[in-house]
Amino acid sequence: MSAEHKEFRIKWGMVIDLDKCTGCGACMVACQAENNLAPTPDASNKKKVMNWLVVYELTNGKAFPAHEVAYLPRPCQQCGTQPCASVCPVVATEKNEEGGIVSQIYPRCIGCRYCMAACPYHARYFNWLDPVWPEGLDKVISPDVSVRPRGVVEKCSFCHHRFMKAKDKARVEKRDIFELEDGEYVTACAEACPNGAIAFGDLLNPGHKVSALAESPHAFRLLARLGTDPQVYYLSRRDWVRAQGDNRLAEEITRG
Amino acid sequence: MGFDRRAFLKFAGGAGAGIAVSPLPWKLLDDVSIWSQNWSWIPANPRGETTYELTTSKLCPSACGLKVRLTGGMPVRALGNPDHPLGGGLSALAAAEVQLMHSPARVKTPLRRDSGGNFIPIGWEEAEEALAGGLDAAGADIACVSGDETGSGLDVLSAFLGERGSDKLYLMPSEAQSAARAWRLMGGSGQPGYDLESSDFILAVGANVLESWGTFIRNRRIFAAARPHGEEPERGFVYAGPVQNNSAAVADSWIPLKPGSELIFILGLAAILTQRGLSAAAPDFASFREMLAGFDPQKVYALTGVSPQTLQNTAAALLRADRPLVLAGSECNQGGGAAQILAALALNLLLGGRCLRDIPLARPVLPAAEGRQEVQNRDLVAYMAQKPNPQALILYEANPVYALPDPESAAVALRNTPFKVSFSAFMDESSALCDLVLPMPLGLERLDDIESPYGCGKVFYALSRRTLETADTRHGMDILLRLSAGRGGLPASYREVLEARSAALGADHSALEAGEVFEAKAPAPGRLMLLPEILNRAAESKNSVISLALAPVQKIALGTAQTGIPPFNVKTIRGNELSGAEMSIFINSATAYSRGLREGDRVRLAGKHGEIRARVLIFEGIVPDAVGVPMGFGHTALDVFSRNKGANATELFTATPEAGTGFTLWNQIDVSIVKI
């Protein structure tokens, strides 16, 4: 089955400025708290750790003193052409709603993990074990996102519940739910970042700043040549950072 | 006609077809998928009305603004408050503040050590009686260590000790203390303030301004505003320090400095600027300029590793800026000494000092309390070095057994103290050695105050608010005030102290309790001294040859000495920083090659007093002949999220008196590395 390309009237997107990200991890903590990811006493086995958003360390690979470092937060890329959705045998992950957020429907998920194998961004995680909340910590579960049991795959939802709330608010105020103001719906990570490194909005709405940022000459997308058409863009004025957006071979001849 | 086989088959077929076209199979399938994931051990979402409360974080050293989300009256999320003068987002610690209220490391009830050495839970009446008995038996021989340097609790502690005839109130060492000391040596009246908002070029020397230095969430908001996405920055930002840390990662450039050579680098810049005709209206400017003649670029290169060209370029960048600001500090916010801050303040004066402010210290609101100046001038590390054995020791939100240099000596001192009590929210290393542990409410559970944290540019005052009633904690200040029973003019409750503080500042206390913040402009500093003799003596002591220098690195995601690693922050630790219980120290490839080490090697790193074990990580973002050691690991108490993870970097710290200022410092530490 080939992946289908989906386009919508609105397209929620994220533009992450890597020249502003210090790698502090506040976005990761905010994401866990907002989306009810259980804490883990030992998180050093990264293959077993559940994370919707991971901050990776990038280096230019040069020795001191020419060394440079950058940090890259990686949420689900919300691809326009989803490698994950096309392989799901139970239609547990779809891209069918205005906004273009790739859904993950936990009750449908049978835990086959085909989607994890298909995702080129390693943005999907499997619940190997039931989440364990230390006594008392289960009291601070946020009310908007259900806690997932073992046996299902999870991923970043662009804090979809916040989109629903913003739409509800617009409905009550008798406004067009597809014409939300810039900043009316933002993800928990974008809201938490003290450096303002994460911009969020409708990529197709000229009134939202992300629409212009995505067109910046410094903008790039991860593994863009795979044709996944992600809705997450990155910005950097540093050539070496942009070059790492695609894992080209050192001697590879590139087109364009 | 009977019900024969044919009729049965017809009926079964009809029933099957009917069920197939009905919604029943789909409903059952739906129910199965839902109920097979809906187990009793999977926590359910809370229900209730969503409300928000504004407050200021007492837990996060940045004192950032918080908007706490409550569901049915229960705090569930800490959000940033962009309208707060020190807010604009969240630190990784503040983001976990609500979850920390329910951390397994919390002390849930008063604990008393029994004759067998075990803690037993006791009631509050018994706890307060034990406290009174222990302190009364000690007479005037009581010392106190406070980990809170911005609250009015210091007034209460000072008055409480004073009323019993003791003046041994100490603060846990911090950058704020060093800076205030440097400032007053120069003739400033309070503490230095930094108007970052109006600065157009920031040179941070050692100060990790975007991670842990000063009011770092405010710093980051200012940084964000000056850096439009994908465009040329509106303000310059250069970081100089031994490690390419979080601040260096986004700076316009990183100037690698040998650990502990920040002072020399700053004096080298000052020397170039005075040669280019810059001066300061200080009475001792002539001797300052004369002293700087000894810091030519070649000498600076030898001591710092910064090339003459880089030094010249940095000086030129400072000259080009309208309102440059130089911020000095130590990477781990402690132990950097006062001289480098003094030198940075002098350099700012050379550059016009337009972004410097003189922020008044909090004035005591209790008649028996001493001034903040007296408290800040006391040096806890020097006091501990004298091996004091007071009859009683009060730890107020302080964890010296984990955080002081040479923590084993601090542990010995604690063991030798006949009666020690810890007011702490968490069962940390120090509390675990005490005779009595009294659970403190956290910032979101108590009314407390924060006044002008170090790094801010204005007079600042805010209250932390109680967003959750916690059953079995009591504010330590209320306990001590109750114990004093009005003696020495002490009020009956801590709220009265806070009301007096608000009144003294001219702030509306009820508005503060509702989450508002009081701010007032701070004056520019008066005429300050540059103190060349002190700087020269401190600089001369930097000539010592170090074979392998320690470069500690602090990340606020790993919490503070008090909190340990918050449960939600464990996942922020990268795979190459910690593997199981083993942490990594980092060196660059040249250092590794010269010592015959490779990535992944197990090593023993030894200082004068202690040693740690770790694995080698090759990281090119550190100067040669230096070893980077992350702070925040190596807890032996607290909970499973903090314990048994790496080693405590403070084991390697060796404090020495700083030539010139007399303050202790631990930023030039020679360590040895051996493959095991």
Side-chain angles (χ1 to χ4, degrees):
Chain A
M1 190 192 293
S2 65
E4 184 189 357
H5 189 86
K6 298 268 180 76
E7 282 296 340
F8 299 92
R9 184 177 145 199
I10 54 170
K11 200 155 96 173
W12 295 112
M14 200 176 264
V15 181
I16 305 177
D17 190 343
L18 303 186
D19 295 345
K20 291 171 93 168
C21 176
T22 62
C24 73
C27 54
M28 286 178 69
V29 180
C31 172
Q32 290 175 67
E34 178 82 12
N35 293 298
N36 296 328
L37 276 75
T40 311
D42 177 12
S44 59
N45 182 356
K46 297 298 177 190
K47 287 181 182 167
K48 293 284 174 77
V49 170
M50 174 68 65
N51 263 325
W52 288 12
L53 175 66
V54 174
V55 180
Y56 290 96
E57 187 181 87
L58 309 180
T59 107
N60 66 349
K62 295 184 178 173
F64 175 87
H67 183 258
E68 284 189 42
V69 67
Y71 296 94
L72 184 143
R74 195 248 40 230
C76 169
Q77 305 290 298
Q78 316 292 354
C79 304
T81 306
Q82 318 92 56
C84 52
S86 62
V87 299
C88 180
V90 291
V91 205
T93 186
E94 287 189 287
K95 191 178 176 100
N96 272 336
E97 189 190 25
E98 273 299 339
I101 297 172
V102 178
S103 66
Q104 182 68 23
I105 305 156
Y106 306 115
R108 281 190 200 164
C109 179
I110 56 171
C112 71
R113 289 165 276 147
Y114 287 179
C115 56
M116 289 174 65
C119 176
Y121 303 103
H122 300 288
R124 293 176 160 272
Y125 293 83
F126 183 63
N127 273 296
W128 291 97
L129 301 166
D130 269 324
V132 177
W133 299 79
E135 190 191 343
L137 265 174
D138 54 347
K139 290 179 191 157
V140 281
I141 282 172
S142 78
D144 306 318
V145 185
S146 61
V147 178
R148 289 74 54 190
R150 71 166 178 252
V152 298
V153 171
E154 300 186 8
K155 71 162 196 79
C156 157
S157 66
F158 266 4
C159 292
H160 182 263
H161 55 282
R162 290 183 172 215
F163 180 34
M164 293 199 288
K165 278 195 175 173
K167 283 197 290 189
D168 286 349
K169 186 165 175 281
R171 279 192 193 100
V172 169
E173 293 167 1
K174 301 199 185 319
R175 290 187 286 125
D176 184 350
I177 58 169
F178 298 132
E179 288 288 338
L180 297 177
E181 297 292 320
D182 198 9
E184 209 174 337
Y185 156 43
V186 291
T187 57
C189 54
E191 182 184 66
C193 179
N195 284 24
I198 305 176
F200 186 81
D202 179 6
L203 292 165
L204 302 179
N205 186 338
H208 288 205
K209 65 182 175 189
V210 290
S211 65
L213 292 175
E215 301 297 322
S216 161
H218 305 300
F220 66 99
R221 290 185 284 179
L222 295 183
L223 306 177
R225 65 175 168 170
L226 292 181
T228 49
D229 188 23
Q231 284 171 214
V232 177
Y233 289 74
Y234 293 90
L235 285 179
S236 180
R237 290 180 292 122
R238 292 175 277 188
D239 291 339
W240 71 266
V241 174
R242 288 200 302 275
Q244 292 192 15
D246 243 320
N247 56 349
R248 298 180 192 282
L249 301 172
E251 67 278 13
E252 185 178 341
I253 298 165
T254 56
R255 284 179 296 171
Chain B
M1 197 173 89
F3 191 71
D4 57 11
R5 181 174 173 276
R6 179 175 291 262
F8 171 75
L9 288 174
K10 276 184 185 171
F11 175 77
I19 290 171
V21 296
S22 79
L24 188 65
W26 310 108
K27 176 65 184 150
L28 287 174
L29 199 60
D30 191 38
D31 281 357
V32 165
S33 65
I34 290 169
W35 289 104
S36 64
Q37 295 187 8
N38 194 12
W39 306 108
S40 58
W41 57 87
I42 304 293
N45 296 91
R47 289 172 192 275
E49 190 192 356
T50 289
T51 52
Y52 295 92
E53 287 192 17
L54 298 179
T55 186
T56 300
S57 177
K58 185 79 183 156
L59 187 80
C60 179
S62 72
C64 59
L66 294 179
K67 185 175 159 187
V68 180
R69 180 182 178 186
L70 299 97
T71 299
M74 176 72 84
V76 291
R77 281 277 279 123
L79 307 169
N81 177 9
D83 299 325
H84 189 281
L86 304 182
L90 289 170
S91 67
L93 177 59
E97 190 159 344
V98 165
Q99 283 70 26
L100 267 173
M101 292 158 79
H102 304 278
S103 158
R106 288 294 301 267
V107 185
K108 295 181 176 68
T109 174
L111 299 169
R112 184 171 60 78
R113 195 178 292 282
D114 66 10
S115 52
N118 301 313
F119 278 125
I120 49 168
I122 54 173
W124 274 106
E125 269 187 30
E126 188 184 344
E128 293 194 21
E129 275 172 25
L131 175 69
L135 294 179
D136 288 345
D141 194 9
I142 307 174
C144 176
V145 179
S146 171
D148 177 12
E149 61 183 16
T150 57
S152 294
L154 277 179
D155 281 9
V156 176
L157 290 171
S158 171
F160 180 82
L161 290 180
E163 189 258 321
R164 286 168 181 257
S166 167
D167 63 352
K168 296 193 188 77
L169 172 59
Y170 294 88
L171 289 169
M172 286 297 287
S174 75
E175 204 87 282
Q177 221 180 336
S178 307
R181 186 158 171 122
W183 191 242
R184 286 196 294 274
L185 282 172
M186 295 173 82
S189 63
Q191 68 182 38
Y194 305 100
D195 184 11
L196 275 81
E197 285 85 350
S198 75
S199 168
D200 62 348
F201 181 87
I202 291 173
L203 169 63
V205 186
N208 198 351
V209 289
L210 301 183
E211 177 65 21
S212 55
W213 180 91
T215 50
F216 50 88
I217 294 301
R218 161 181 164 257
N219 305 349
R220 295 175 69 171
R221 188 193 66 216
I222 294 165
F223 169 84
R227 307 241 151 185
H229 290 289
E231 293 176 26
E232 286 298 315
E234 290 169 4
R235 303 179 194 191
F237 171 51
V238 171
Y239 175 78
V243 178
Q244 200 167 38
N245 57 16
N246 298 38
S247 298
V250 294
D252 299 330
S253 61
W254 168 48
I255 302 174
L257 282 183
K258 289 181 184 175
S261 70
E262 292 85 356
L263 171 63
I264 309 291
F265 174 68
I266 296 166
L267 293 179
L269 287 171
I272 294 172
L273 294 176
T274 51
Q275 282 163 16
R276 295 200 185 174
L278 263 62
S279 64
D284 53 355
F285 174 71
S287 52
F288 180 68
R289 185 171 54 192
E290 203 175 304
M291 181 271 292
L292 290 175
F295 293 91
D296 62 88
Q298 282 303 333
K299 179 180 174 182
V300 172
Y301 171 60
L303 292 171
T304 65
V306 178
S307 71
Q309 189 58 49
T310 305
L311 199 67
Q312 293 285 358
N313 291 347
T314 312
L318 287 170
L319 277 171
R320 274 197 304 276
D322 279 339
R323 297 174 70 88
L325 185 57
V326 181
L327 303 169
S330 75
E331 165 68 47
C332 54
N333 271 322
Q334 51 167 294
Q340 65 185 29
I341 301 175
L342 202 160
L345 293 167
L347 182 55
N348 279 306
L349 292 176
L350 278 183
L351 291 161
R354 287 186 288 278
C355 296
L356 286 185
R357 299 288 177 270
D358 192 358
I359 298 187
L361 291 179
R363 293 214 175 120
V365 288
L366 300 175
E370 58 191 340
R372 290 287 158 91
Q373 191 168 334
E374 282 76 41
V375 182
Q376 286 179 339
N377 280 344
R378 286 193 204 104
D379 188 337
L380 175 62
V381 178
Y383 173 69
M384 296 299 276
Q386 296 162 11
K387 303 199 186 308
N389 290 317
Q391 288 298 303
L393 179 66
I394 301 170
L395 298 179
Y396 180 69
E397 299 200 308
N399 185 8
V401 173
Y402 176 81
L404 284 188
D406 186 14
E408 182 51 35
S409 296
V412 170
L414 222 65
R415 287 191 194 101
N416 290 339
T417 303
F419 178 74
K420 53 265 179 192
V421 55
S422 176
F423 292 93
S424 176
F426 301 98
M427 182 48 84
D428 55 29
E429 287 79 2
S430 304
S431 300
L433 293 178
C434 284
D435 303 298
L436 191 62
V437 183
L438 302 177
M440 277 285 290
L442 278 182
L444 294 179
E445 299 162 342
R446 75 191 201 218
L447 187 67
D448 213 325
D449 65 347
I450 302 119
E451 182 162 358
S452 302
Y454 176 58
C456 64
K458 291 180 180 174
V459 176
F460 171 91
Y461 189 67
L463 296 177
S464 68
R465 305 168 64 186
R466 187 181 304 154
T467 58
L468 177 69
E469 292 285 345
T470 38
D472 223 12
T473 61
R474 287 184 185 177
H475 200 308
M477 293 301 113
D478 282 325
I479 294 172
L480 292 181
L481 289 171
R482 218 169 12 250
L483 208 60
S484 295
R487 290 193 298 272
L490 289 175
S493 77
Y494 190 45
R495 177 183 284 272
E496 290 174 53
V497 178
L498 301 179
E499 284 168 351
R501 171 78 64 211
S502 302
L505 286 164
D508 179 350
H509 186 82
S510 54
L512 292 174
E513 280 209 34
E516 286 186 23
V517 168
F518 172 81
E519 273 199 304
K521 278 191 176 175
R527 209 164 186 208
L528 298 172
M529 306 281 282
L530 303 175
L531 306 173
E533 299 81 18
I534 289 179
L535 291 172
N536 200 35
R537 278 166 56 197
E540 278 175 355
S541 70
K542 301 285 181 190
N543 291 333
S544 56
V545 177
I546 287 181
S547 58
L548 185 67
L550 184 71
V553 177
Q554 188 183 15
K555 286 188 180 179
I556 205 69
L558 299 188
T560 63
Q562 267 266 294
T563 63
I565 305 171
F568 269 55
N569 297 31
V570 174
K571 292 179 189 176
T572 66
I573 303 167
R574 273 185 275 282
N576 61 4
E577 293 175 325
L578 184 77
S579 176
E582 217 168 24
M583 76 172 192
S584 300
I585 51 99
F586 51 96
I587 52 180
N588 72 23
S589 53
T591 310
Y593 180 75
S594 65
R595 285 159 178 82
L597 297 170
R598 291 184 177 189
E599 177 141 324
D601 281 350
R602 286 197 168 88
V603 290
R604 187 174 63 234
L605 208 58
K608 190 176 169 188
H609 299 297
E611 63 174 45
I612 64 169
R613 286 162 191 246
R615 274 185 188 267
V616 170
L617 172 71
I618 304 295
F619 177 65
E620 297 293 343
I622 182 168
V623 294
D625 298 321
V627 54
V629 180
M631 307 272 295
F633 288 123
H635 281 284
T636 54
L638 297 159
D639 56 24
V640 291
F641 298 96
S642 296
R643 271 197 310 269
N644 197 27
K645 285 183 168 55
N648 184 1
T650 61
E651 301 270 4
L652 302 170
F653 290 178
T654 305
T656 49
E658 183 175 53
T661 68
F663 227 42
T664 46
L665 84 171
W666 49 96
N667 69 345
Q668 241 187 350
I669 302 159
D670 204 354
V671 290
S672 65
I673 192 165
V674 180
K675 188 174 167 180
I676 49 175

